[in-house]
Amino acid sequence: MDKANPPVSDFIHVPVLGAEVVEGLAVCAGGHYLDATVGGGGHSRLILETAADVQVTALDQDAQAIAAAQQALSDFNQRVQFQQTNFATFEPGSTRFDGIVADLGVSSAQFDIPDRGFSFRLEAPLDMRMDQRQELTAADIINHWDETKLANIFYTYGEERLSRRIARRIVEQRPFQTTTELAEAIASAVPRAYRYGRIHSATRVFQALRIAVNQELDVLKTFLRKAPDWLKPGGRLVVISFHSLEDRIVKHTLKESPLLQVLTKKPILPADAEVESNPRSRSAKLRIAERLNL
């Protein structure tokens, strides 16, 4: 098997908060919806199955995700159109949508395909690019950025309170080639109690690296500024976030938009049964806003 291009069957997408997304979008017959982060196609399938003649425009910057979604949704034929692009750079032209859904963060498949380098639990090159057409990788950041800059991204994007000592250890021991090498260096930089705490000592650093590689927070802000203009009056914007940095941006940007009315005073969380069946859903938060008829 070509490890650089694993089969699309490896790209499995369990849609988080699926029923809540469909209800939040108020999917209607003949509607046209934008899935801004199609992944393996889980949310798009639920939308397409909800009502007759529904159409979906499906975006993803990850070529493997697009290939998987095309295969998973092939039975819908021309009702779904695909485009490999970052949702912040998408241009809908004159099209306006009845609803938009964005499921942020990394999919289970991206974590579970070793060569993508998103997980410290699997030995892989330090990559972490969602769009593998871009040049910047996690290895570039770890091996070439200075100690202060590394500490800043670990603290800002990972909310890592030991960011300085971790950055110092990384600079002392670099270069690094693999995810496991980096995870071991991080573990060696922190106190024993911290190393064996509730979450792995590398978790926050890997989150920070992924955000930096893909400029996730900047592109999210751009998307949230643009998305209200892509909606028809009464159209819904549904966003699922997975950590506090994302959720804070979503909450405040939706609230501050003059084109939107926020429908969720507090975020919708997954039910206990969903968390039990899909543990990766446990940190999901869903917010909904509706386009005003201005």
Side-chain angles (χ1 to χ4, degrees), residues 41 45 48-49 68-80 82:
R45 172 169 287 279
L48 289 159
E49 290 176 341
Q70 286 175 324
Q71 178 175 297
L73 302 173
S74 60
D75 47 329
F76 293 101
N77 300 315
Q78 299 305 310
R79 289 174 59 194
V80 55
F82 299 92

Side-chain angles (χ1 to χ4, degrees), residues 169-222:
R169 181 62 54 88
I170 287 170
V171 170
E172 289 170 355
Q173 296 189 1
R174 67 190 185 187
F176 295 93
Q177 302 301 322
T178 68
T179 52
T180 49
E181 288 174 352
L182 178 59
E184 288 168 7
I186 295 166
S188 73
V190 302
R192 182 178 179 83
Y194 196 82
R195 193 181 313 161
Y196 299 108
R198 185 175 60 85
I199 65 171
H200 193 286
S201 53
T203 299
R204 295 183 181 91
V205 171
F206 270 64
Q207 174 182 297
L209 271 176
R210 191 197 78 225
I211 290 172
V213 168
N214 298 289
Q215 299 182 310
E216 290 178 29
L217 302 186
D218 289 337
V219 298
L220 175 59
K221 291 173 185 175
T222 300

